[in-house]
Amino acid sequence: MATEETGTKVTSESQPAAGTGVREGPSPSGSTGHDIPEMSPFAAVSFFFDQAAAHIDLAPEMREVLRSSYRELSVQVPIRMDDGRLQVFTGYRVQHNGARGPYKGGIRYHPDADLDEVRALAALMTWKTAVVDIPYGGAKGGVRCDPGAMSLGEKERLTRRFTGMISYVLGVNRDVPAPDMNTDAQTMAWMMDAYSSRYGYTPAIVTGKPVELGGSLGRDAATGRGVVYCLREAANDLGIGLQGATVAIQGFGNVGSWTARIIGELGCKVVAVSDVRGGVRRDEGLDVQAVYDHVRDTRSVVDAPGTESISNEDLLELDVDVLVPAALDRVISGSNVGRVRARVIVEAANHPVTPAADAVLQDRGVTIIPDILANAGGVTVSYFEWVQNIQQFRWDEDHVNEELAKTMSRAWKNVHARATVDGISLRLAAFAIAVEKVERAARLRGYV
Ligand code: NAD
């Protein structure tokens, strides 16, 4: 990847200062050399929040309010499995902060889903909706289950039962779920139907629905498209040439596969992608559509024709210009950060970089476009879907994409300007802007 002016590789000179309060550089072993420990997802989000709170000198009483969740619901979800056994799952819905509007956030099905993770993701949603300035608060949901081992019928029963159990904290003007890992438009259709059977036809109760049920055109691609728009803006403002730039993407689900399919529009070539079963690479550039077709036929990128295999760990350490983690959280931590060689990291997944790794990467001058900005395209188009449902009107796809581009561009410019003026990282700038917005709304509403 070359800068537009000089044709040279992007280096730390083009980046804002770290502002992470760290002391030493990385050691060759991959240990961070910093005194920031690895921590749980919620502790990590709180760590970034505390940095922002200190930066903007947030009053202690407001810190206490904005740091913790408004409501945390944990429910028992007993399901009759196909073989007749009763299995009891645990589900969560956490509403972090609703000062700026109804709670908003996805529902995740995953074996590792727990309250700490859902709480962290709910807080990230509060900051994300504030960064892109859409009128929502932050929430998240999850069910601890292994969806890969469940039949469609089992997943439907789980979704309907879970929806029933959390329905009294949901509402079009109260809390509006959406898809996340291992949930999709079909899951949202079941949620909407379960909710509507109790409260009457209510399409606006979830977003990310099938288009036939009031879903928005462009919602499926929105998170990946937002990632690409954000990278385009960042490249323009930071002087990063993307023509021929190499890209590796971890995760080939909703976000990863759409990012891979759209990013070529910027002139980049995708050289590696992966999923839970493994990865594939081709240094000359993958035929992304062929990989996508292979996934449709086999449910994995593994063994896509004309590719070599690569592990998920090695993919993260490839010598590429742009790395897009688009799967799990905490995949770049103190244990591998010393081997991560990408010049730009676009956080399509939520919380893919731990605070310890973040400090090292900031020190090294790696550009990190933070999750609360980079992957906000999904919730932005969810907002457009909700607006269309309330107005009982449909936008065409070009209109959705134009509005998405405007929102992502405005958010990027605000974050970049703040990072430049204050001499801080993009992450700290994004958090500072978000916390200030929520703080103002909370004060005006009399929360404190
Ligand atoms: P998804 O379920 O559609 O896809 C997840 C992908 O990650 C799959 O390809 C899966 O195989 C892969 N994966 C799972 N475990 C893995 C592992 N151990 N190693 C490597 N790959 C693994 O989920 P998604 O909706 O694409 O979400 C991906 C990330 O993006 C999550 O962090 C999610 O919170 C975030 N996100 C999603 C949206 C959205 O609109 N869907 C919006 C914002 C952020």
Side-chain angles (χ1 to χ4, degrees):
M1 175 168 46
T3 62
E4 276 156 5
E5 290 86 5
T6 63
T8 54
K9 291 278 179 183
V10 174
T11 63
S12 55
E13 285 82 41
S14 62
Q15 309 313 322
T20 48
V22 293
R23 300 193 228 305
E24 302 164 327
S27 75
S29 68
S31 89
T32 69
H34 296 275
D35 59 1
I36 302 173
E38 295 300 347
M39 49 187 97
S40 80
F42 184 67
V45 174
S46 301
F47 178 92
F48 293 135
F49 167 77
D50 287 341
Q51 282 187 327
H55 184 71
I56 65 172
D57 206 13
L58 190 69
E61 57 185 22
M62 186 58 87
R63 276 189 210 201
E64 216 177 309
V65 172
L66 300 190
R67 215 173 187 271
S68 51
S69 320
Y70 164 70
R71 172 155 51 193
E72 299 183 344
L73 183 61
S74 174
V75 292
Q76 182 196 57
V77 195
I79 298 301
R80 189 68 61 191
M81 306 302 276
D82 290 348
D83 62 7
R85 271 179 314 118
L86 187 83
Q87 195 162 334
V88 181
F89 297 93
T90 307
Y92 309 96
R93 185 70 179 171
V94 173
Q95 297 170 336
H96 175 256
N97 186 284
R100 299 183 59 263
Y103 299 100
K104 188 83 188 85
I107 304 272
R108 169 177 293 200
Y109 290 172
H110 199 273
D112 297 334
D114 64 18
L115 190 54
D116 185 275
E117 180 187 74
V118 175
R119 189 184 283 144
L121 294 167
L124 281 180
M125 288 305 296
T126 300
W127 312 129
K128 191 179 303 184
T129 52
V131 168
V132 287
D133 204 14
I134 55 176
Y136 283 139
K140 202 82 182 189
V143 179
R144 194 179 179 89
C145 65
D146 182 3
M150 293 169 72
S151 71
L152 198 65
E154 289 168 343
K155 283 190 268 196
E156 177 174 353
R157 292 196 289 283
L158 176 74
T159 303
R160 289 183 180 281
R161 193 87 192 246
F162 176 59
T163 307
M165 283 162 165
I166 64 169
S167 65
Y168 67 94
V169 300
L170 303 182
V172 173
N173 293 307
R174 180 173 289 159
D175 185 347
V176 183
D180 193 70
M181 276 193 89
N182 298 317
T183 56
D184 57 14
Q186 177 61 75
T187 321
M188 294 305 109
W190 292 326
M191 286 195 86
M192 177 205 135
D193 187 65
Y195 187 89
S196 294
S197 65
R198 279 184 183 212
Y199 299 100
Y201 180 63
T202 320
I205 191 60
V206 288
T207 57
K209 298 178 290 292
V211 173
E212 297 86 338
L213 297 178
S216 179
L217 295 167
R219 172 60 184 90
D220 196 41
T223 309
R225 191 172 290 284
V227 165
V228 173
Y229 287 161
C230 206
L231 176 62
R232 180 180 67 191
E233 296 295 321
N236 277 341
D237 285 345
L238 301 176
I240 300 168
L242 290 176
Q243 203 57 45
T246 51
V247 182
I249 302 176
Q250 185 190 47
F252 205 74
N254 172 278
V255 180
S257 70
W258 275 110
T259 302
R261 286 153 82 193
I262 300 171
I263 208 164
E265 291 173 11
L266 303 182
C268 309
K269 60 177 181 182
V270 179
V271 295
V273 296
S274 67
D275 61 29
V276 67
R277 298 193 203 168
V280 291
R281 69 181 289 183
R282 183 169 182 269
D283 293 349
E284 304 76 37
L286 292 164
D287 177 346
V288 175
Q289 189 56 46
V291 176
Y292 186 78
D293 293 342
H294 181 75
V295 172
R296 199 191 45 220
D297 298 340
T298 67
R299 301 186 59 201
S300 176
V301 299
V302 171
D303 293 335
T307 65
E308 290 170 46
S309 58
I310 183 170
S311 69
N312 265 295
E313 294 71 34
D314 289 348
L315 179 142
L316 294 171
E317 297 167 12
L318 280 176
D319 186 11
V320 285
D321 296 308
V322 182
L323 176 63
V324 184
L328 298 176
D329 62 324
R330 293 179 289 169
V331 293
I332 302 176
S333 66
S335 65
N336 65 350
V337 68
R339 297 186 298 276
V340 171
R341 287 179 287 170
R343 265 70 72 191
V344 177
I345 297 176
V346 190
E347 294 186 341
N350 283 309
H351 183 41
V353 176
T354 68
D358 185 68
V360 174
L361 293 167
Q362 299 288 355
D363 254 10
R364 237 199 269 154
V366 174
T367 298
I368 303 178
I369 307 182
D371 46 10
I372 59 172
L373 172 63
N375 70 35
V379 73
T380 299
V381 176
S382 274
Y383 165 55
F384 300 156
E385 179 174 329
W386 182 75
V387 166
Q388 292 170 75
N389 292 157
I390 289 168
Q391 297 184 336
Q392 302 194 19
F393 188 73
R394 173 153 292 170
W395 299 2
D396 66 35
E397 193 166 349
D398 287 347
H399 184 51
V400 170
N401 291 342
E402 274 162 32
E403 291 295 322
L404 172 62
K406 271 194 250 170
T407 303
M408 296 306 293
S409 164
R410 202 167 38 227
W412 159 263
K413 293 220 175 300
N414 287 340
V415 170
H416 178 235
R418 182 67 177 264
T420 308
V421 169
D422 289 8
I424 55 177
S425 69
L426 294 169
R427 189 188 312 280
L428 183 51
F431 269 84
I433 290 170
V435 174
E436 279 170 355
K437 279 213 180 95
V438 177
E439 191 249 347
R440 272 197 297 276
R443 266 195 205 291
L444 286 167
R445 291 185 64 170
Y447 282 18
V448 174

Short mmCIF file of all heavy atoms in Angstrom, two decimals, residues 148-187:
data_model
loop_
_atom_site.label_atom_id
_atom_site.label_comp_id
_atom_site.label_asym_id
_atom_site.label_seq_id
_atom_site.Cartn_x
_atom_site.Cartn_y
_atom_site.Cartn_z
N GLY A 148 -24.48 -24.48 15.77
CA GLY A 148 -23.99 -25.40 14.74
C GLY A 148 -24.48 -26.82 14.97
O GLY A 148 -24.54 -27.63 14.04
N ALA A 149 -24.81 -27.13 16.22
CA ALA A 149 -25.23 -28.50 16.56
C ALA A 149 -26.75 -28.59 16.70
O ALA A 149 -27.26 -29.61 17.16
CB ALA A 149 -24.56 -28.92 17.87
N MET A 150 -27.46 -27.51 16.32
CA MET A 150 -28.91 -27.52 16.50
C MET A 150 -29.63 -27.54 15.15
O MET A 150 -29.16 -26.94 14.17
CB MET A 150 -29.35 -26.26 17.28
CG MET A 150 -28.86 -26.26 18.71
SD MET A 150 -29.11 -24.66 19.52
CE MET A 150 -30.88 -24.63 19.72
N SER A 151 -30.77 -28.18 15.10
CA SER A 151 -31.58 -28.21 13.87
C SER A 151 -32.30 -26.86 13.73
O SER A 151 -32.40 -26.09 14.70
CB SER A 151 -32.60 -29.34 13.92
OG SER A 151 -33.61 -29.00 14.86
N LEU A 152 -32.83 -26.64 12.54
CA LEU A 152 -33.59 -25.40 12.31
C LEU A 152 -34.79 -25.32 13.27
O LEU A 152 -35.07 -24.26 13.83
CB LEU A 152 -34.07 -25.38 10.84
CG LEU A 152 -34.48 -24.03 10.29
CD1 LEU A 152 -33.30 -23.07 10.23
CD2 LEU A 152 -35.09 -24.18 8.89
N GLY A 153 -35.45 -26.44 13.46
CA GLY A 153 -36.62 -26.47 14.35
C GLY A 153 -36.23 -26.13 15.78
O GLY A 153 -36.94 -25.39 16.48
N GLU A 154 -35.09 -26.66 16.25
CA GLU A 154 -34.63 -26.36 17.61
C GLU A 154 -34.30 -24.88 17.74
O GLU A 154 -34.65 -24.24 18.75
CB GLU A 154 -33.40 -27.22 17.94
CG GLU A 154 -33.76 -28.70 18.14
CD GLU A 154 -32.54 -29.62 18.18
OE1 GLU A 154 -31.44 -29.21 17.73
OE2 GLU A 154 -32.70 -30.77 18.62
N LYS A 155 -33.67 -24.32 16.70
CA LYS A 155 -33.33 -22.89 16.76
C LYS A 155 -34.60 -22.04 16.76
O LYS A 155 -34.68 -21.03 17.44
CB LYS A 155 -32.42 -22.52 15.58
CG LYS A 155 -30.98 -22.96 15.79
CD LYS A 155 -30.04 -22.38 14.77
CE LYS A 155 -29.88 -23.27 13.59
NZ LYS A 155 -28.75 -22.98 12.74
N GLU A 156 -35.59 -22.47 15.98
CA GLU A 156 -36.85 -21.71 15.96
C GLU A 156 -37.52 -21.74 17.34
O GLU A 156 -37.95 -20.71 17.86
CB GLU A 156 -37.79 -22.26 14.89
CG GLU A 156 -39.12 -21.52 14.90
CD GLU A 156 -40.07 -21.90 13.78
OE1 GLU A 156 -39.68 -22.66 12.88
OE2 GLU A 156 -41.22 -21.42 13.81
N ARG A 157 -37.56 -22.92 17.96
CA ARG A 157 -38.22 -23.02 19.27
C ARG A 157 -37.47 -22.18 20.31
O ARG A 157 -38.07 -21.50 21.14
CB ARG A 157 -38.30 -24.49 19.71
CG ARG A 157 -39.26 -25.31 18.84
CD ARG A 157 -39.63 -26.63 19.49
NE ARG A 157 -38.56 -27.61 19.54
CZ ARG A 157 -38.14 -28.36 18.51
NH1 ARG A 157 -38.69 -28.23 17.31
NH2 ARG A 157 -37.17 -29.25 18.66
N LEU A 158 -36.12 -22.24 20.22
CA LEU A 158 -35.31 -21.45 21.14
C LEU A 158 -35.59 -19.96 20.96
O LEU A 158 -35.78 -19.22 21.94
CB LEU A 158 -33.81 -21.73 20.86
CG LEU A 158 -32.82 -20.92 21.67
CD1 LEU A 158 -32.76 -21.43 23.11
CD2 LEU A 158 -31.42 -21.00 21.06
N THR A 159 -35.65 -19.53 19.72
CA THR A 159 -35.84 -18.09 19.43
C THR A 159 -37.20 -17.62 19.93
O THR A 159 -37.33 -16.57 20.56
CB THR A 159 -35.72 -17.84 17.91
OG1 THR A 159 -34.45 -18.31 17.48
CG2 THR A 159 -35.87 -16.37 17.57
N ARG A 160 -38.23 -18.43 19.65
CA ARG A 160 -39.59 -18.02 20.06
C ARG A 160 -39.69 -17.97 21.59
O ARG A 160 -40.26 -17.04 22.15
CB ARG A 160 -40.62 -19.00 19.49
CG ARG A 160 -40.78 -18.86 17.98
CD ARG A 160 -41.87 -19.80 17.47
NE ARG A 160 -42.01 -19.67 16.02
CZ ARG A 160 -42.67 -18.69 15.42
NH1 ARG A 160 -43.24 -17.74 16.12
NH2 ARG A 160 -42.75 -18.64 14.09
N ARG A 161 -39.12 -18.97 22.25
CA ARG A 161 -39.23 -19.01 23.71
C ARG A 161 -38.44 -17.85 24.34
O ARG A 161 -38.92 -17.18 25.27
CB ARG A 161 -38.67 -20.37 24.20
CG ARG A 161 -38.98 -20.71 25.62
CD ARG A 161 -40.32 -21.43 25.69
NE ARG A 161 -40.83 -21.54 27.05
CZ ARG A 161 -40.97 -22.69 27.69
NH1 ARG A 161 -40.63 -23.83 27.10
NH2 ARG A 161 -41.46 -22.71 28.91
N PHE A 162 -37.25 -17.65 23.83
CA PHE A 162 -36.39 -16.56 24.34
C PHE A 162 -37.09 -15.21 24.14
O PHE A 162 -37.13 -14.38 25.05
CB PHE A 162 -35.04 -16.60 23.61
CG PHE A 162 -34.11 -15.47 23.96
CD1 PHE A 162 -33.69 -15.26 25.27
CD2 PHE A 162 -33.62 -14.61 22.97
CE1 PHE A 162 -32.83 -14.22 25.61
CE2 PHE A 162 -32.76 -13.57 23.29
CZ PHE A 162 -32.37 -13.37 24.61
N THR A 163 -37.67 -15.02 22.95
CA THR A 163 -38.37 -13.75 22.67
C THR A 163 -39.50 -13.54 23.66
O THR A 163 -39.66 -12.44 24.21
CB THR A 163 -38.94 -13.74 21.23
OG1 THR A 163 -37.89 -14.04 20.33
CG2 THR A 163 -39.54 -12.39 20.88
N GLY A 164 -40.26 -14.60 23.90
CA GLY A 164 -41.37 -14.49 24.86
C GLY A 164 -40.85 -14.06 26.23
O GLY A 164 -41.45 -13.22 26.91
N MET A 165 -39.71 -14.63 26.61
CA MET A 165 -39.20 -14.36 27.96
C MET A 165 -38.62 -12.96 28.14
O MET A 165 -38.58 -12.46 29.26
CB MET A 165 -38.17 -15.41 28.32
CG MET A 165 -38.88 -16.68 28.67
SD MET A 165 -37.80 -18.06 28.61
CE MET A 165 -38.81 -19.22 29.50
N ILE A 166 -38.15 -12.38 27.06
CA ILE A 166 -37.59 -11.01 27.20
C ILE A 166 -38.58 -9.96 26.67
O ILE A 166 -38.28 -8.77 26.70
CB ILE A 166 -36.22 -10.85 26.50
CG1 ILE A 166 -36.33 -11.04 24.98
CG2 ILE A 166 -35.19 -11.79 27.10
CD1 ILE A 166 -35.07 -10.62 24.22
N SER A 167 -39.76 -10.42 26.20
CA SER A 167 -40.65 -9.50 25.46
C SER A 167 -41.08 -8.30 26.30
O SER A 167 -41.32 -7.23 25.76
CB SER A 167 -41.86 -10.24 24.91
OG SER A 167 -42.65 -10.71 25.97
N TYR A 168 -41.17 -8.49 27.62
CA TYR A 168 -41.69 -7.36 28.40
C TYR A 168 -40.67 -6.24 28.58
O TYR A 168 -41.02 -5.15 29.03
CB TYR A 168 -42.26 -7.83 29.74
CG TYR A 168 -41.26 -8.38 30.70
CD1 TYR A 168 -40.68 -7.57 31.67
CD2 TYR A 168 -40.90 -9.72 30.65
CE1 TYR A 168 -39.76 -8.07 32.55
CE2 TYR A 168 -39.97 -10.23 31.53
CZ TYR A 168 -39.41 -9.41 32.48
OH TYR A 168 -38.48 -9.91 33.34
N VAL A 169 -39.40 -6.47 28.19
CA VAL A 169 -38.45 -5.33 28.19
C VAL A 169 -38.23 -4.80 26.77
O VAL A 169 -37.46 -3.87 26.57
CB VAL A 169 -37.09 -5.66 28.86
CG1 VAL A 169 -37.29 -6.07 30.30
CG2 VAL A 169 -36.32 -6.71 28.07
N LEU A 170 -38.86 -5.44 25.77
CA LEU A 170 -38.73 -4.96 24.39
C LEU A 170 -39.83 -3.95 24.08
O LEU A 170 -40.76 -3.77 24.86
CB LEU A 170 -38.83 -6.13 23.40
CG LEU A 170 -37.83 -7.29 23.58
CD1 LEU A 170 -38.04 -8.34 22.50
CD2 LEU A 170 -36.38 -6.78 23.54
N GLY A 171 -39.77 -3.35 22.92
CA GLY A 171 -40.81 -2.41 22.49
C GLY A 171 -40.25 -1.53 21.39
O GLY A 171 -39.04 -1.26 21.37
N VAL A 172 -41.11 -1.11 20.49
CA VAL A 172 -40.67 -0.28 19.35
C VAL A 172 -39.99 0.99 19.84
O VAL A 172 -39.03 1.48 19.23
CB VAL A 172 -41.86 0.06 18.44
CG1 VAL A 172 -41.47 1.04 17.35
CG2 VAL A 172 -42.43 -1.21 17.83
N ASN A 173 -40.46 1.53 20.96
CA ASN A 173 -39.83 2.73 21.54
C ASN A 173 -39.08 2.40 22.82
O ASN A 173 -38.79 3.29 23.62
CB ASN A 173 -40.88 3.80 21.79
CG ASN A 173 -41.46 4.30 20.49
OD1 ASN A 173 -40.70 4.71 19.60
ND2 ASN A 173 -42.75 4.22 20.34
N ARG A 174 -38.81 1.11 23.04
CA ARG A 174 -38.13 0.72 24.27
C ARG A 174 -36.84 -0.04 23.97
O ARG A 174 -35.77 0.36 24.41
CB ARG A 174 -39.08 -0.14 25.10
CG ARG A 174 -38.47 -0.61 26.39
CD ARG A 174 -39.47 -1.30 27.27
NE ARG A 174 -40.43 -0.36 27.81
CZ ARG A 174 -41.63 -0.70 28.28
NH1 ARG A 174 -42.01 -1.96 28.26
NH2 ARG A 174 -42.44 0.20 28.77
N ASP A 175 -36.93 -1.12 23.21
CA ASP A 175 -35.73 -1.93 22.92
C ASP A 175 -35.99 -2.73 21.66
O ASP A 175 -36.97 -3.48 21.58
CB ASP A 175 -35.44 -2.86 24.11
CG ASP A 175 -34.13 -3.63 23.94
OD1 ASP A 175 -33.58 -3.64 22.82
OD2 ASP A 175 -33.67 -4.24 24.92
N VAL A 176 -35.09 -2.60 20.68
CA VAL A 176 -35.28 -3.17 19.34
C VAL A 176 -34.09 -4.06 18.98
O VAL A 176 -33.02 -3.57 18.62
CB VAL A 176 -35.43 -2.03 18.30
CG1 VAL A 176 -35.70 -2.59 16.91
CG2 VAL A 176 -36.54 -1.06 18.71
N PRO A 177 -34.23 -5.40 19.05
CA PRO A 177 -33.12 -6.30 18.71
C PRO A 177 -32.81 -6.36 17.21
O PRO A 177 -33.56 -5.86 16.37
CB PRO A 177 -33.60 -7.67 19.21
CG PRO A 177 -34.69 -7.38 20.18
CD PRO A 177 -35.34 -6.12 19.68
N ALA A 178 -31.71 -7.03 16.89
CA ALA A 178 -31.23 -7.19 15.50
C ALA A 178 -30.37 -8.46 15.45
O ALA A 178 -30.08 -9.05 16.50
CB ALA A 178 -30.40 -5.97 15.11
N PRO A 179 -29.93 -8.89 14.27
CA PRO A 179 -29.07 -10.08 14.20
C PRO A 179 -27.64 -9.78 14.64
O PRO A 179 -27.19 -8.64 14.60
CB PRO A 179 -29.07 -10.46 12.71
CG PRO A 179 -29.97 -9.52 12.01
CD PRO A 179 -30.26 -8.38 12.92
N ASP A 180 -26.94 -10.81 15.07
CA ASP A 180 -25.50 -10.73 15.35
C ASP A 180 -24.93 -12.11 15.03
O ASP A 180 -25.48 -12.80 14.17
CB ASP A 180 -25.27 -10.31 16.82
CG ASP A 180 -23.82 -9.92 17.08
OD1 ASP A 180 -23.39 -8.87 16.59
OD2 ASP A 180 -23.11 -10.68 17.75
N MET A 181 -23.89 -12.52 15.71
CA MET A 181 -23.25 -13.80 15.36
C MET A 181 -24.25 -14.94 15.46
O MET A 181 -24.93 -15.11 16.48
CB MET A 181 -22.08 -14.07 16.29
CG MET A 181 -20.83 -13.38 15.84
SD MET A 181 -19.40 -13.99 16.70
CE MET A 181 -18.92 -15.33 15.65
N ASN A 182 -24.30 -15.74 14.40
CA ASN A 182 -25.13 -16.95 14.33
C ASN A 182 -26.64 -16.68 14.40
O ASN A 182 -27.41 -17.60 14.67
CB ASN A 182 -24.73 -17.96 15.43
CG ASN A 182 -23.32 -18.42 15.25
OD1 ASN A 182 -22.89 -18.70 14.13
ND2 ASN A 182 -22.56 -18.49 16.33
N THR A 183 -27.04 -15.46 14.19
CA THR A 183 -28.46 -15.16 14.01
C THR A 183 -28.59 -14.37 12.71
O THR A 183 -27.63 -13.73 12.28
CB THR A 183 -29.04 -14.34 15.19
OG1 THR A 183 -28.28 -13.15 15.33
CG2 THR A 183 -29.02 -15.12 16.49
N ASP A 184 -29.75 -14.45 12.09
CA ASP A 184 -29.89 -13.84 10.77
C ASP A 184 -31.32 -13.34 10.54
O ASP A 184 -32.11 -13.28 11.50
CB ASP A 184 -29.46 -14.83 9.67
CG ASP A 184 -30.27 -16.13 9.74
OD1 ASP A 184 -31.31 -16.16 10.44
OD2 ASP A 184 -29.87 -17.12 9.09
N ALA A 185 -31.64 -13.04 9.30
CA ALA A 185 -32.97 -12.50 8.98
C ALA A 185 -34.07 -13.49 9.39
O ALA A 185 -35.13 -13.08 9.88
CB ALA A 185 -33.05 -12.19 7.48
N GLN A 186 -33.82 -14.78 9.23
CA GLN A 186 -34.83 -15.77 9.63
C GLN A 186 -35.07 -15.71 11.15
O GLN A 186 -36.22 -15.76 11.61
CB GLN A 186 -34.37 -17.18 9.22
CG GLN A 186 -35.30 -18.29 9.67
CD GLN A 186 -36.71 -18.15 9.07
OE1 GLN A 186 -36.92 -18.44 7.90
NE2 GLN A 186 -37.68 -17.72 9.88
N THR A 187 -33.98 -15.57 11.91
CA THR A 187 -34.13 -15.45 13.37
C THR A 187 -34.99 -14.24 13.71
O THR A 187 -35.84 -14.29 14.61
CB THR A 187 -32.73 -15.29 14.04
OG1 THR A 187 -31.79 -16.13 13.37
CG2 THR A 187 -32.76 -15.60 15.52
#
